[in-house]
Amino acid sequence: MSIYDTLNEQQKQGVFTTEGPVLLLAGAGSGKTRVLTHRIAYLIEEMGINPYQIMAITFTNKAAGEMKERVESLVGFADSAWITTFHSTCVRILRRYIDRIGYDTNFVIYDADDQKSVIKDICKRLNVDTKVLKERTVLSAISSAKDELISPNEYSLSAAGDYHKQKIAALYKEYQQTLKKNNAVDFDDLIMKTVELFKDCPDVLQSYQNRFRYIMVDEYQDTNSAQFELIRLLAGDRHNLCVVGDDDQSIYKFRGANIRNILDFEKYYPEAAVIRLEQNYRSTQNVLDAANAVIRNNIGRKEKSLWTDQGAGERIHFRQFDNAYEEAEFVADDVARKKRNGSYQYKDCAVLYRTNAQARLLEERFIVEGIPYDVVGGVNFYSRKEIKDLLAYLKTIDNGRDDLSVKRIINIPKRGIGAATIAEVQDYADEKGISFYDALKQADEISTIGRSGAKLKPFVDMIKVFRSKLQVYTLTDLIKDIIETTGYVRDLEADSEEEAQTRIENIDELVSKVASYEETHDEPSLSEFLEEVALVADIDGVDEDDDRVLLMTLHSAKGLEFSQVYLTGMEDGLFPSYMSIVADGDAEIEEERRLAYVGITRAKKELTICCAKMRMIRGETQYNAVSRFVKEIPPELLDNRMPKPAYRDDDLLQPSRTKPAAVLTKKRTAAENKPYIASAGTKMGISSFGSLGITKGGNAAGKPDYDAGDRVSHIKYGEGTVLAMEPGPRDYKVTVDFDEAGQKIMYAGFAKLKKL
């Protein structure tokens, strides 16, 4: 039996159509990775193509690693094929040729924190008030410009007559000059500089065009304009380009993704073969019917409809709660119940939400219930202070031109080198046109620093010694030597704070990471290790064998699947967001709807959709209607009837089964769309703080008629004993040990406990 006999007919078309441009429209869970890996195997095994001539690009290390493993399991070898990410591909090219456009090949890659530090310093130098023009705004504008391959000079020309843009143009120009001086690039530069290299050096481009006869791009709907140009250049005149994606899952516009790349593929390549993968192998039909019904309301899409032969499955569970506390409590209780009765392991469950801020209440409830969990997208391991400090040592050893790294560690651990001394050294470096580290080496010639110069020489000598040891040491030996010589861990051991021990454990983990890197690479190098670390994404760090519930934003969930998915906060004003509701045109709402589609299609067996009538957002009590995306799901697919709206909401009528929802949805003005926001105590038909016995000022309006030690009853949990009462700014927090349900923490106004 051939390995290709397991494919369905559309998948086979995707595998066997090897010549010319191919657009694979792969719906969620339709086996696109299977098609890509079998396509690579077919090229190697059946067509005799050398793996060296094949390139497959995706977005995450996790996806690239999985793809490479699958190809090797099919054909036994694929080492010379480039199966990697966009950024890794560009780093590999730039490491070899970036000197052709004015950089050294041992450049460093700046992360978001590094970029912010550079911009902060530039704003100070150029007297830019960061309260008026925030660093984040500047960096976002620079990133957007690079996504569109707009250089500082081009940006400056486009800013004529716009004072705000002119300021950003000046900062952009200075930012790029600083990066080049430091022999550094940021993530956007990796793509932009590779395109620049190809356009400035046709011989380099031709060498890669000759090498890669077959190019495949995964998640094509997430590409930006710069990535499109990179792929277009590599594909050249041969046009053996296969792109795989789903326009219905294009959710990264805020990162620069351009949905037109996939929607207009046939305009760029009129001869393209278009193949639709619509059979889903992940979810039940009820989940797919819900997803199809929601996404059908988008106009800017390529028509497709997912189906499965795995049966209808359970209906979608819909639950509406009075407030966000009850929502979080329900999710935690439901996860705990399903774990107890053996329905699912913790790792089979995921809780998805629109914004990171929603995680707090969920975390609190999971802690109370004793449920192990991980928050994806929290502080990245490599963003922790102690890890960035040690990586800065490694970067300084590898590339002394990186002023940012040298300045970070010059006084860590403390060496008595103050800010005034650092400023004098920087002035000298600027005057001489040299790097900060080179200026340190010439400290004896800087008359203005006086006796402080004596403190700089030991630091320079230490870096020199580390560099010489690198010639004979392993990387593991080097990192251990840095830790020992600098006394970094000794300082932490002398610290009595509990956090110090956690930081030491993180450092131990970094040493393990270095050792693991050396074990898995035939020719390990410091530059390559730093490069690998720089390209790690949040989701790459998730351990699939760890039995924990994952909490994450909908954006982070893309590409993942879980047996049980909880979609929380499904309310108009939160999801879709208020800004997308009031925006001109349909583009913003359609992006939000695609995000809802992604969330729904993460579920394999069960999908639970939750919302709250009342939620505290940015310190204000907000009352929202049920999300329009929930109302776009046919009622027969839900196991709970939709509630009647508490106030007029006739523009969100359930779509007809015979007419597209877009026809029935009436346009609302911004004022009509605005979520109702009330201060505590506002009188409304829905529960408000006033109805909870809480005063308008926000203080507790009187203690309940029970106290610690009293027996009480709850409508859901039955009888129990009050363990503790804690007054809060707006209500009493009550801890109760229920006879059947165990210990719960709740607010008195919401709990409605009755004293027995």
Side-chain angles (χ1 to χ4, degrees):
M1 181 177 176
S2 166
I3 59 172
Y4 310 106
D5 291 341
T6 59
L7 304 173
N8 65 40
E9 287 307 310
Q10 286 70 34
Q11 290 175 332
K12 287 179 182 177
Q13 285 182 43
V15 169
F16 301 149
T17 309
T18 60
E19 306 307 304
V22 177
L23 171 60
L24 273 174
L25 290 172
S30 61
K32 66 180 178 63
T33 304
R34 184 179 179 82
V35 174
L36 276 176
T37 53
H38 279 70
R39 181 184 172 89
I40 296 170
Y42 182 78
L43 288 169
I44 297 171
E45 198 172 49
E46 303 298 329
M47 294 184 61
I49 303 300
N50 189 327
Y52 179 83
Q53 297 180 303
I54 297 172
M55 170 185 276
I57 303 180
T58 187
F59 277 83
T60 68
N61 294 321
K62 186 183 180 75
E66 180 186 345
M67 195 183 300
K68 193 157 193 172
E69 284 180 15
R70 289 206 204 178
V71 171
E72 289 178 344
S73 71
L74 292 172
V75 297
F77 61 93
D79 283 345
S80 59
W82 277 26
I83 304 175
T84 182
T85 66
F86 270 102
H87 290 109
S88 294
T89 295
C90 291
V91 168
R92 199 164 173 180
I93 294 169
L94 293 174
R95 285 283 179 219
R96 186 171 180 184
Y97 290 112
I98 199 172
D99 57 336
R100 300 278 292 272
I101 54 173
Y103 290 74
D104 288 345
T105 53
N106 66 333
F107 60 86
V108 295
I109 304 169
Y110 278 0
D111 63 16
D113 289 338
D114 298 330
Q115 292 175 268
K116 190 173 181 180
S117 296
V118 172
I119 283 293
K120 190 173 183 179
D121 183 55
I122 292 171
C123 287
K124 187 182 293 185
R125 292 206 311 266
L126 299 184
N127 294 317
V128 174
D129 187 349
T130 54
K131 292 180 181 177
V132 177
L133 186 58
K134 298 185 183 301
E135 294 107 324
R136 184 173 58 185
T137 302
V138 176
L139 285 170
S140 177
I142 291 173
S143 179
S144 296
K146 291 182 178 182
D147 285 346
E148 297 299 322
L149 298 174
I150 298 171
S151 69
N153 287 337
E154 291 168 331
Y155 193 91
S156 183
L157 290 173
S158 70
D162 186 327
Y163 177 78
H164 181 78
K165 283 191 70 175
Q166 285 175 342
K167 278 285 186 186
I168 293 176
L171 293 169
Y172 182 13
K173 185 175 183 179
E174 190 71 19
Y175 173 79
Q176 284 305 110
Q177 289 174 349
T178 302
L179 260 61
K180 190 166 186 179
K181 176 176 168 288
N182 290 355
N183 197 35
V185 295
D186 60 25
F187 278 93
D188 297 314
D189 278 331
L190 292 175
I191 311 294
M192 190 174 184
K193 292 298 176 186
T194 305
V195 172
E196 179 184 332
L197 171 68
F198 285 164
K199 290 185 174 180
D200 288 356
C201 307
D203 59 316
V204 175
L205 173 60
Q206 188 171 12
S207 69
Y208 284 105
Q209 286 176 338
N210 291 339
R211 172 172 179 174
F212 297 118
R213 289 178 56 193
Y214 295 90
I215 299 174
M216 282 147 276
V217 183
D218 192 16
E219 304 288 5
Y220 188 65
Q221 76 281 347
D222 295 333
T223 55
N224 59 36
S225 298
Q227 289 162 334
F228 168 79
E229 182 64 7
L230 175 75
I231 294 302
R232 187 191 69 79
L233 289 169
L234 282 170
D237 296 331
R238 191 177 282 118
H239 289 187
N240 282 344
L241 172 63
C242 174
V243 299
V244 185
D246 180 7
D247 53 298
D248 289 337
Q249 295 186 72
S250 180
I251 60 173
Y252 294 121
K253 183 181 178 183
F254 70 99
R255 290 184 189 168
N258 186 353
I259 193 173
R260 302 311 311 179
N261 287 350
I262 190 167
L263 293 179
D264 296 342
F265 186 77
E266 297 128 290
K267 291 183 181 178
Y268 295 107
Y269 299 100
E271 74 277 28
V274 180
I275 301 165
R276 285 174 168 78
L277 304 181
E278 296 175 300
Q279 183 174 357
N280 177 283
Y281 294 91
R282 173 192 298 158
S283 307
T284 63
Q285 191 62 54
N286 280 339
V287 169
L288 298 182
D289 285 346
N292 288 333
V294 171
I295 201 62
R296 202 172 289 131
N297 292 278
N298 272 7
I299 298 170
R301 65 184 293 261
K302 290 180 177 289
E303 183 60 39
K304 70 187 80 67
S305 186
L306 298 178
W307 63 275
T308 184
D309 58 9
Q310 298 187 78
E314 292 197 34
R315 287 192 293 172
I316 313 302
H317 310 305
F318 174 74
R319 302 289 183 269
Q320 185 182 34
F321 302 94
D322 284 338
N323 54 73
Y325 297 97
E326 290 185 7
E327 178 189 59
E329 186 176 47
F330 164 78
V331 171
D333 286 348
D334 202 51
V335 168
R337 178 178 61 81
K338 287 175 177 175
K339 170 69 172 178
R340 283 196 306 270
N341 65 26
S343 300
Y344 300 115
Q345 298 297 309
Y346 288 131
K347 65 183 178 182
D348 297 325
C349 304
V351 186
L352 311 183
Y353 35 78
R354 181 63 182 86
T355 66
N356 278 307
Q358 292 169 250
R360 183 184 64 82
L361 284 177
L362 292 161
E363 284 192 78
E364 288 177 3
R365 292 309 309 173
F366 275 47
I367 291 169
V368 169
E369 297 279 2
I371 299 171
Y373 69 92
D374 273 332
V375 179
V376 177
V379 178
N380 185 296
F381 175 77
Y382 296 105
S383 296
R384 300 178 190 277
K385 180 187 182 302
E386 61 276 13
I387 303 304
K388 286 186 75 71
D389 288 345
L390 291 173
L391 289 177
Y393 271 101
L394 293 176
K395 289 177 182 178
T396 301
I397 294 166
D398 185 54
N399 171 24
R401 285 177 57 186
D402 180 11
D403 290 357
L404 206 62
S405 293
V406 180
K407 287 180 182 178
R408 182 181 183 94
I409 59 170
I410 193 170
N411 202 39
I412 293 179
K414 293 192 180 301
R415 301 182 176 93
I417 302 171
T421 301
I422 293 172
E424 293 288 353
V425 175
Q426 184 61 60
D427 288 344
Y428 179 83
D430 293 341
E431 180 186 334
K432 297 292 185 181
I434 59 178
S435 71
F436 183 81
Y437 180 73
D438 285 340
L440 290 176
K441 292 193 290 186
Q442 300 174 24
D444 292 343
E445 300 177 22
I446 308 175
S447 58
T448 54
I449 61 174
R451 288 180 296 177
S452 297
K455 299 175 182 178
L456 302 177
K457 190 174 186 302
F459 174 77
V460 173
D461 290 342
M462 178 180 64
I463 298 300
K464 287 179 179 177
V465 171
F466 286 146
R467 284 183 176 172
S468 64
K469 288 180 176 179
L470 184 58
Q471 307 305 314
V472 292
Y473 271 20
T474 65
L475 295 184
T476 307
D477 291 336
L478 178 65
I479 189 70
K480 288 180 177 179
D481 193 15
I482 291 170
I483 294 167
E484 178 63 30
T485 302
T486 61
Y488 199 104
V489 168
R490 284 197 299 275
D491 280 8
L492 288 174
E493 288 173 339
D495 191 336
S496 60
E497 294 292 329
E498 183 179 339
E499 183 188 354
Q501 182 56 41
T502 301
R503 293 173 66 187
I504 292 171
E505 291 169 0
N506 288 336
I507 291 170
D508 291 341
E509 182 61 27
L510 178 63
V511 175
S512 298
K513 166 64 182 175
V514 174
S516 174
Y517 162 78
E518 290 195 292
E519 288 175 5
T520 55
H521 290 72
D522 294 332
E523 297 181 11
S525 71
L526 180 54
S527 294
E528 189 181 43
F529 170 74
L530 291 171
E531 168 193 315
E532 188 173 296
V533 165
L535 299 177
V536 170
D538 289 337
I539 200 64
D540 292 331
V542 174
D543 186 349
E544 294 180 359
D545 295 326
D546 204 1
D547 192 22
R548 293 173 178 269
V549 180
L550 290 187
L551 278 59
M552 68 185 87
T553 64
L554 285 146
H555 283 100
S556 296
K558 187 167 172 297
L560 304 179
E561 57 183 45
F562 304 91
S563 294
Q564 166 71 67
V565 167
Y566 298 89
L567 277 183
T568 61
M570 294 294 287
E571 303 138 30
D572 262 21
L574 185 59
F575 188 38
S577 69
Y578 169 61
M579 294 304 293
S580 66
I581 292 173
V582 300
D584 290 335
D586 296 324
E588 299 299 326
I589 282 290
E590 294 210 351
E591 174 102 353
E592 293 278 286
R593 187 174 281 111
R594 291 193 292 270
L595 192 56
Y597 174 83
V598 166
I600 292 170
T601 54
R602 297 313 93 197
K604 296 188 336 187
K605 294 181 180 178
E606 286 191 68
L607 173 65
T608 302
I609 295 175
C610 302
C611 65
K613 298 175 184 175
M614 178 176 69
R615 189 179 298 271
M616 183 74 74
I617 298 177
R618 291 179 293 276
E620 295 179 311
T621 303
Q622 186 165 307
Y623 298 87
N624 294 329
V626 175
S627 171
R628 63 192 65 198
F629 302 146
V630 179
K631 297 184 178 186
E632 289 170 354
I633 299 174
E636 62 268 22
L637 296 179
L638 301 174
D639 70 358
N640 198 4
R641 297 291 296 177
M642 291 290 295
K644 292 181 180 179
Y647 50 90
R648 186 171 176 79
D649 197 25
D650 57 6
D651 61 316
L652 293 176
L653 296 172
Q654 175 61 42
S656 164
R657 297 291 288 165
T658 58
K659 294 182 180 180
V663 175
L664 293 177
T665 303
K666 180 180 76 177
K667 293 287 183 184
R668 290 198 288 185
T669 66
E672 288 173 325
N673 268 298
K674 186 174 182 179
Y676 185 91
I677 299 174
S679 60
T682 301
K683 299 293 184 181
M684 287 195 66
I686 309 175
S687 298
S688 67
F689 277 124
S691 68
L692 300 176
I694 298 172
T695 66
K696 191 173 183 179
N699 297 318
K703 196 174 181 181
D705 62 351
Y706 49 83
D707 207 336
D710 287 342
R711 293 284 292 173
V712 294
S713 69
H714 184 272
I715 190 170
K716 175 180 177 183
Y717 299 122
E719 296 182 2
T721 303
V722 178
L723 300 181
M725 296 275 290
E726 180 184 342
R730 288 181 171 164
D731 199 1
Y732 277 83
K733 188 183 288 186
V734 186
T735 304
V736 183
D737 184 14
F738 290 102
D739 300 341
E740 298 293 332
Q743 188 170 306
K744 305 287 180 184
I745 299 176
M746 55 192 69
Y747 285 92
F750 295 139
K752 298 181 177 65
L753 297 170
K754 292 183 179 179
K755 184 177 178 180
L756 297 177

